[in-house]
Amino acid sequence: MSRTTEQPAPGQQPAPELQSAEPSGAEPSGAEQSGAEQPTNDRTTRRRRRTILLVVLAVLVVAAVVIAVVAVRSAAETPAEAVAATAPVPVRVAHVPDGTKIGVVVTLGDGEGSEWADAAQGALVAQRRLQLGGTTVQLVAQDDAGSTDGARAAVEALAKQGVAGIVVASSGRHVDGAFAAASSAGIPVVAPYAAGSDDAWSTAPSTDSTASAMRSALGSAKSPLLVDLGGGAPSGLQVAHVVDAVRDADTAALATTIAERTGVAAQTADTTTGSGADAPVAADSDAVVLSGPAARQGALVAALQSADVTAPIILTADATSPTFAAALTQAGGSLSGGFRTVGVETDDARALHPDATGRSMSAFLGGLRVLADDADAKNLTGDRPFSSVAPVADARSHDAVIALVRAVGTARSDEPSAVADALATLDLSGSDGLAGPDLVFRTHEAMRSPASVLASSAQDLGLRPAASDDSADASGSPSLVWFADDTER
């Protein structure tokens, strides 16, 4: 069922003259007339004092002039953009027709791609920032149920409602159904969490750069073990061993197997004494790669922590979704494990950059705080307050909406084919309202920044509001911040 969310069209004084201490022609005092005689060097001493006073005043005047010049020059040379954005910056897009609609496909429940459902709420921040800039658009949300048929039906429903473009905020094989249906209907699609295709623009890192970043994350590992939890083998990554755990529901047993294969001594029972003893275990792996849904990765990482696995663990990009941290903590794991994955820096740590990059993310976070403070603001499906998802709404879905609305403005039309043609010409950056890296839509892989190794931090940067207390089912679990990791491995 589709639900529409529409936000309401919310100088220097001159130096005094020095007077002579001994006026010319002065008569001797009474004391002098009575016989008191002045020393012959008094006049010389007074002259020296006058000279010193004049020099001191001259130095003070010169110093004041120099300070004034330096201050003026410093102010003139400070670039205007050096001032950080501490308030939400409106996004202004001209020539957007009244009634423009943008579709957002999400996966609710536990289906494939559902880990992005809360992250997709960043689309609402884009809508509010556009509103602040004088542009009103409607967001129409549709659930694809995590299946190919559901994805196709979701796009068909959005087409009937007259959307100008669609953000497919899900991932997995099933999104191909959405891409194909949108192509048939002539509707442009932007996918922030899935790889691109001939039928859609992706703002995720390219497959090649992701593979390169994965190799960098593994560093000097010679015999990595891939644990397939349903994501398959990452493209372009060579591994020595594979464990097929797609249908393995026993997470504890799987963790024990991985522990043994990475050199953690197994605890065996002595049948005669009943005492435990460490038995040597032949290890064949020196690193672990987890590939699959965020929920399964989180649960397995918690089990690996319990099993004392110390080998490097590399996660696929699903781990950057809010679900990974939630699943990890729900399984009793610790967020302070120093996890690594690959991708581009689109998280809150980006706001700490002392340049235009940081200001763009700060503007997004400012808009998010304003929306979270609005008691009437709801999530995409209208069943929860936006404040309940504000801790995890991300910049990737926000930027996808900004891109489509920019295309509408460029086309001066909300007719899908015209919007698609306009989108294919766009090069967008922070000055256009993006919060993340620049996007170039001249190819279907719009993300120009290559993927890199990302590390996690459980530190609260204090840039987002906490989840509202009245939403027990909200994304109130502790979250992770992902940032670029330049550590040598």
Side-chain angles (χ1 to χ4, degrees), residues 37 121 154 209 326 343-344 364:
E37 184 177 353
Q121 308 299 322
S209 73
V344 295
F364 162 76

Side-chain angles (χ1 to χ4, degrees), residues 223-234 237-246 254 257-258 261 284-285 287-289 291:
S223 184
L225 170 68
L226 170 66
V227 181
D228 183 4
L229 299 170
L237 183 67
Q238 298 294 323
V239 296
H241 314 284
V242 178
V243 171
D244 184 352
V246 176
L254 179 59
T257 299
I258 296 171
R261 298 188 64 166
D284 62 2
S285 304
V288 180
V289 177
S291 175

Side-chain angles (χ1 to χ4, degrees), residues 23 38 48 85 93 108 137 153 155 167 179 229 235 241 243 276 306 316 337 373 413 417 422 447 458:
Q38 295 294 326
R48 287 177 179 172
V93 182
L108 304 180
V137 297
V155 169
V167 176
F179 296 166
L229 299 170
S235 178
H241 314 284
V243 171
S306 296
T316 52
D373 287 341
S413 169
S417 63
M447 176 59 69

Side-chain angles (χ1 to χ4, degrees), residues 5-376:
T5 302
E6 181 176 4
Q7 301 293 341
Q12 180 176 332
Q13 296 295 327
E17 290 184 8
L18 289 176
Q19 300 297 324
S20 172
E22 178 86 21
S24 176
E27 291 294 326
S29 67
E32 292 173 329
Q33 291 177 1
S34 65
E37 184 177 353
Q38 295 294 326
T40 59
N41 62 349
D42 279 359
R43 185 166 297 175
T44 301
T45 300
R46 286 194 294 269
R47 286 174 180 170
R48 287 177 179 172
R49 288 173 178 170
R50 287 198 299 269
T51 301
I52 292 172
L53 285 171
L54 287 169
V55 170
V56 170
L57 273 175
V59 170
L60 290 174
V61 169
V62 171
V65 171
V66 170
I67 291 171
V69 170
V70 170
V72 171
R73 181 174 296 173
S74 297
E77 291 178 352
T78 301
E81 66 174 9
V83 180
T86 56
V89 177
V91 177
R92 296 179 175 87
V93 182
H95 312 301
V96 175
D98 292 340
T100 294
K101 298 178 182 180
I102 301 296
V104 184
V105 174
V106 293
T107 304
L108 304 180
D110 298 323
E112 181 184 67
S114 60
E115 59 253 47
W116 304 110
D118 284 342
Q121 308 299 322
L124 290 164
V125 181
Q127 182 190 38
R128 177 56 62 93
R129 293 183 67 197
L130 287 162
Q131 181 193 15
L132 291 172
T135 301
T136 299
V137 297
Q138 295 181 9
L139 296 183
V140 185
Q142 195 75 33
D143 176 22
D144 68 5
S147 69
T148 301
D149 289 342
R152 185 180 298 109
V155 169
E156 291 171 351
L158 291 173
K160 291 179 180 179
Q161 296 181 66
V163 298
I166 297 174
V167 176
V168 174
S170 188
S171 65
R173 297 180 180 88
H174 81 280
V175 300
D176 288 341
F179 296 166
S183 178
S184 297
I187 303 175
V189 166
V190 177
Y193 310 117
S197 72
D198 292 338
D199 298 326
W201 282 272
S202 171
T203 58
S206 69
T207 301
D208 290 343
S209 73
T210 297
S212 177
M214 271 285 188
R215 291 190 290 270
S216 295
L218 285 171
S220 60
K222 303 297 183 184
S223 184
L225 170 68
L226 170 66
V227 181
D228 183 4
L229 299 170
S235 178
L237 183 67
Q238 298 294 323
V239 296
H241 314 284
V242 178
V243 171
D244 184 352
V246 176
R247 296 177 178 81
D248 191 344
D250 192 339
T251 301
L254 179 59
T256 299
T257 299
I258 296 171
E260 292 174 350
R261 298 188 64 166
T262 56
V264 178
Q267 193 77 8
T268 59
D270 188 302
T271 56
T272 59
T273 65
S275 62
D278 287 333
V281 177
D284 62 2
S285 304
D286 56 1
V288 180
V289 177
L290 304 187
S291 175
R296 293 206 64 190
Q297 289 194 52
L300 182 54
V301 167
L304 293 175
Q305 289 177 341
S306 296
D308 297 325
V309 172
T310 59
I313 300 173
I314 311 302
L315 312 168
T316 52
D318 304 77
T320 63
S321 73
T323 299
F324 172 78
L328 176 59
T329 55
Q330 288 169 9
S334 170
L335 292 178
S336 60
F339 313 110
R340 286 185 172 83
T341 185
V342 297
V344 295
E345 195 176 49
T346 60
D347 217 336
D348 295 5
R350 191 175 175 86
L352 305 181
H353 291 242
D355 53 16
T357 293
R359 288 187 291 278
S360 296
M361 178 58 75
S362 292
F364 162 76
L365 291 170
L368 181 144
R369 290 191 294 270
V370 166
L371 191 56
D373 287 341
D374 184 348
D376 295 327

